[in-house]
């Protein structure tokens, strides 16, 4: 039995508050590994896009949560809890139910990030998730002072939107771009230009426990160690919080420069997707009268429908 989290589940939440397995890495690193704030947020203010469900058909309930930003084509699994319940077949059923709810909310894809050596990896595979990218997280340990305002990295503005989208499509493989996308408005990050050409963008997410940065840097850029150093130094409002740089496998050439810094790297993570829509061709209904003996003409019009 699956149902939304409510006040009856508060004792379960108290018991599981430190037993969550986060499948949204940026969320866990920036806002902490306790699941209580996220569950209470979904219960008290569901308009934030956090939705929590409970599988409560025996003495060990399982919690699961998804996060769907407004108008985003994809949704993320926030966590499953408790982690020991992943050996239970109900964990697969809960993931499939979360996927159904994400589809009903309008998402086309459900995403999750996990260490390939984790037991949860096989659970995700059984629930229909497949790998579409890999990533490593680099924790920057060195303290940096705010960089000179002319360092090259500046806060993104609305006028940078088209240039950022162009850079994204030039750097990110098509398979990944079909699943994920950057917002076309309200960019939250830093941009770096060389002349009139955008050569770098770093998407930023802030939390009490750290700052998440995902860089997109053109492969023709030289002196990458200098650019990354200036990027880290240019992150505003750091306040001694650690910086976590997410480096996808298609930008692995950034890693030697990060390894030369005072930093720590995570194991390789699998970035997984469960597709929630199928592509279908539909016949084009012509307004002209049919001619006897003429075969029906189909146009390559593609519609999406929940899978």
């Amino acid at each position: 039995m699956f149902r939304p989290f409510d006040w009856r589940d508060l004792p379960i939440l108290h018991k599981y508050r430190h037993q969550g397995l986060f499948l949204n890495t940026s969320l866990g690193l920036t806002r902490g590994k306790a699941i209580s704030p996220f569950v209470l947020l979904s219960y008290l203010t569901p308009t934030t896009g956090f939705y929590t469900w409970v599988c409560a058909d025996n003495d060990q309930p399982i919690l699961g949560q998804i996060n769907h930003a407004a108008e985003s084509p994809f949704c993320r699994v926030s966590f499953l809890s408790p982690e020991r319940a992943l050996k239970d077949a109900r964990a697969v059923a809960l993931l499939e139910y979360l996927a159904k709810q994400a589809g009903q909310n309008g998402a086309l894809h459900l995403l999750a990030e996990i260490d390939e050596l984790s037991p949860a990896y096989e659970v995700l595979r059984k629930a229909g998730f497949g790998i579409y990218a890999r990533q490593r997280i680099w924790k920057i340990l060195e303290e940096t002072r705010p960089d000179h305002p002319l360092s090259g990295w500046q806060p993104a503005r609305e006028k940078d939107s088209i240039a950022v989208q162009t850079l994204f499509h030039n750097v990110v493989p098509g398979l990944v771009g079909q699943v994920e996308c950057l917002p076309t408005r309200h960019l939250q990050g830093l941009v770096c230009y060389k002349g009139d050409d955008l050569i770098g963008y770093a998407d930023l997410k802030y939390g009490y426990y750290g700052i998440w940065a995902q860089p997109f840097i053109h492969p023709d850029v030289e002196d990458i160690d200098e650019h990354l150093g200036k990027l880290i130094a240019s992150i505003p409002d750091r306040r001694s919080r650690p910086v976590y740089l997410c480096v996808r496998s298609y930008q692995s050439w950034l890693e030697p420069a990060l390894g030369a810094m005072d930093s720590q790297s995570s194991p390789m993570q699998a970035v997984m997707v469960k597709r929630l829509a199928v592509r279908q061709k539909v016949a084009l209904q012509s307004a002209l009268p049919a001619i006897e003996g003429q075969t029906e003409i189909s146009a390559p019009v593609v519609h999406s429908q929940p899978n």
Side-chain angles (χ1 to χ4, degrees), residues 52 130 145 161 188 209 248 264 279:
T52 307
R145 291 178 294 178
S161 177
Q188 297 180 345
Y209 293 95
R248 290 283 176 85
Q264 294 176 347
R279 296 168 66 88

Side-chain angles (χ1 to χ4, degrees), residues 60-97:
Q60 182 175 279
I62 306 176
L63 301 181
Q65 186 183 87
I66 57 174
N67 176 219
H68 187 201
E71 301 181 1
S72 173
F74 60 86
C75 182
R76 295 185 183 275
V77 182
S78 301
F79 67 81
L80 297 176
S81 182
E83 187 172 356
R84 65 178 181 276
L86 295 177
K87 299 178 181 179
D88 193 318
R90 293 177 304 149
V92 175
L94 178 57
L95 281 167
E96 292 174 341
Y97 186 79

Side-chain angles (χ1 to χ4, degrees), residues 233-255:
S234 299
I235 293 176
D237 194 28
R238 182 174 175 182
R239 292 182 296 177
S240 300
R241 286 176 287 187
V243 173
Y244 298 95
L245 256 71
C246 173
V247 179
R248 290 283 176 85
S249 54
Y250 51 81
Q251 289 201 108
S252 59
W253 53 276
L254 301 177
E255 294 193 329

Side-chain angles (χ1 to χ4, degrees), residues 44-278:
L44 299 174
T45 317
T47 54
T48 56
F50 288 91
Y51 306 94
T52 307
W53 279 271
V54 183
C55 178
D57 55 358
N58 67 17
D59 294 335
Q60 182 175 279
I62 306 176
L63 301 181
Q65 186 183 87
I66 57 174
N67 176 219
H68 187 201
E71 301 181 1
S72 173
F74 60 86
C75 182
R76 295 185 183 275
V77 182
S78 301
F79 67 81
L80 297 176
S81 182
E83 187 172 356
R84 65 178 181 276
L86 295 177
K87 299 178 181 179
D88 193 318
R90 293 177 304 149
V92 175
L94 178 57
L95 281 167
E96 292 174 341
Y97 186 79
L98 293 177
K100 177 181 177 181
Q101 296 300 319
Q104 291 179 352
N105 283 349
L108 301 179
H109 307 96
L110 182 60
L111 311 185
E113 300 162 347
I114 191 66
D115 182 349
E116 290 185 69
L117 299 180
S118 169
Y121 174 74
E122 286 302 323
V123 176
L124 289 164
R125 291 292 296 266
K126 290 178 181 178
F129 286 77
I131 298 175
Y132 72 96
R134 287 179 170 82
Q135 66 185 23
R136 198 188 307 275
I137 312 304
W138 290 80
K139 180 180 180 180
I140 308 301
L141 303 175
E142 61 187 28
E143 293 287 339
T144 57
R145 291 178 294 178
D147 207 6
H148 190 276
L150 298 179
S151 68
W153 290 94
Q154 304 294 328
R157 293 175 288 180
E158 187 173 351
K159 70 175 186 179
D160 300 310
S161 177
I162 295 177
V164 169
Q165 289 292 330
T166 301
L167 176 67
F168 178 84
H169 291 298
N170 286 336
V171 170
V172 177
L175 178 63
V176 178
Q178 291 175 11
V179 176
E180 297 183 48
C181 62
L182 287 174
T184 56
R185 297 182 299 173
H186 310 300
L187 294 172
Q188 297 180 345
L190 299 173
V191 292
C192 182
Y193 282 88
K194 183 177 182 180
D196 294 330
D197 297 325
L198 182 70
I199 61 173
Y201 171 72
D203 193 42
L204 300 179
K205 297 177 183 177
Y206 286 79
Y208 180 81
Y209 293 95
I211 301 172
W212 172 274
Q214 185 166 355
F216 302 91
I217 299 178
H218 199 282
D220 289 342
V221 171
E222 299 178 352
D223 301 323
I224 189 60
D225 51 345
E226 180 180 349
H227 280 283
L228 287 176
K230 289 184 176 181
L231 164 62
I232 295 167
S234 299
I235 293 176
D237 194 28
R238 182 174 175 182
R239 292 182 296 177
S240 300
R241 286 176 287 187
V243 173
Y244 298 95
L245 256 71
C246 173
V247 179
R248 290 283 176 85
S249 54
Y250 51 81
Q251 289 201 108
S252 59
W253 53 276
L254 301 177
E255 294 193 329
L258 292 170
M261 300 179 182
D262 186 8
S263 61
Q264 294 176 347
S265 64
S266 74
M268 188 69 77
Q269 291 184 332
V271 188
M272 308 184 75
V273 60
K274 181 177 176 67
R275 300 182 186 276
L276 309 179
V278 295

